[in-house]
Amino acid sequence: MKRWHKVVLGIFGAGVVGAAVGTWYIATRAEREPSLVAWRTHCAACHGMELEGSPDGPALVAVALKHGDSTPDLTRSIAAGIPGTTMQGWGDSLSPQLVKALALFVSEHRQGFPTIAASYRKVPTANRSLRSKHHNFRLERVTALASRPYSMAYLPDGSMLVSEKVRGLSLVDAAGRQGPVIAGTPEVFGTLLSVEGTWINLGIVLDVELHPDFQTNGWIYLSHTDRCHLDCGWPVPATMVRVVRGRIRDGRWVDQEIVWSVHKDHYTPVPDAVAAGRLAFDGKGHVYVSIGGKHSYDKLHDLNTPFGKVHRVRDDGTIPQDNPFWAPPSERAAGSTRHTVWSYGHRTGQGLDGHPETGEIWNTEMGPRGGDEVNRIEAGGNYGWPLYTNGLGYDGERVTIGEDLGLNFPLSETVLPVVDLTPAPAVSNFAFYSGDAFPGWRHDLLVGTLKASTLYRMRIEAGQLVEQEKLVTDFGRIRDVETGDDGFVYVLLEHQESGSLWRLVPE
């Protein structure tokens, strides 16, 4: 065998072994999760492996807890114990981080959060009637989808544009029939790897939104991860979010224009699951795009990079000079994105929407183990990640990434979340309800979740959460939520290798 053949074969073999080890490591991470290990070691003998209770200790699920069931309440009970009971305190023998991790473990089980792998296996099939605080409604399936979706946009004729990550853009008509892929949209690429249901992708379609004056101008906005190969300096494919707009004519995507893009120096092989790419309009001629941490976290506070930020441009792609960090080309580095930055210090902004009356931009943002957020996005705002978070690292330890990177700013200089969701349900996209079918929900946030398989309703007044309820539980991975012109609430699910479209109809 020639030497170069041996080198190639060795590299290939090392790659196969590395991929196998990586796949095993990801597939078994749940069994090695610190709070699960601590529960089995210290707690399961009394309270049961599934928190169902035993002769030596009470159940912790499907019952009321006398000493509170919020994460802070559970943390105090686990740390200090409960006098007069067999519940001892663990604060002296376990670290504060592990005590909090156990509290998150209990809270997640009390709320019925499935594992990530189990969430992908949820495939609802039956319609059902549900009650909520302000309205009773029926959950109805509109149609099954050919592939996993990411976003949808309701059209004036009652049809729905649906973006499917590796398939492209298609139209679901008012009768629920899904049409073929619309030709001419940006290219998408197949899944590289699937581990416990999680797809590893480089080159997918993301959000789809209609221009506020769509009925006049016909513009449709589409975000996707544009892919390059050796031409962007990587020996493997690399991607980055790009926003385009176009029109649909005779089943084809036409008139495409680039609205927001970045220099290829910012393209990375970090998988697209953290790309975000959500779009929103403020009703004042601007479009916003959320960009996740598709790089190492040291770039999130570098205004010259696009990562971990919300960006703002005019709806034609030109740059408004009243952006908070705008600078002329002569005063910014080549390839800098500081002139489009609206806010920074975000982790993964999986949701973005503009308030229907004020135009204020809000986002939903994934935290680590705990610490999902709902934020009002302020011009120039620093949202703190990775220096500040209410969550823990996936290793069960305090998040020290910001400190390790040398970030040093006081909490008072950050914009705090309006809603903290701990434990984290894995928030996805959301919508401000703006229809007439559910008047009791007007302008409330309808927030989808992935891991929790739950649709939340949140009412915010004067910057404070005043009402929250779970409208739908044990449902599926909700990728998008939309109010239709008919006033119904449309919900987009991803599951297994496909997806489905549902709606909430008043009863």
Side-chain angles (χ1 to χ4, degrees), residues 33-34 392-398:
E33 197 281 313
L392 294 174
Y394 295 113
D395 59 358
E397 297 296 327
R398 187 173 66 88

Side-chain angles (χ1 to χ4, degrees), residues 270-316:
V270 175
D272 294 342
V274 295
R278 290 295 183 182
L279 305 173
F281 295 88
D282 62 6
K284 302 171 185 175
H286 305 107
V287 61
Y288 299 73
V289 54
S290 67
I291 304 297
K294 198 173 149 44
H295 201 286
S296 55
Y297 283 135
D298 60 328
K299 301 298 184 183
L300 274 57
H301 290 261
D302 181 352
L303 296 176
N304 293 307
T305 73
F307 311 106
K309 301 176 179 71
V310 173
H311 296 264
R312 173 189 186 240
V313 297
R314 295 191 185 94
D315 56 19
D316 63 357

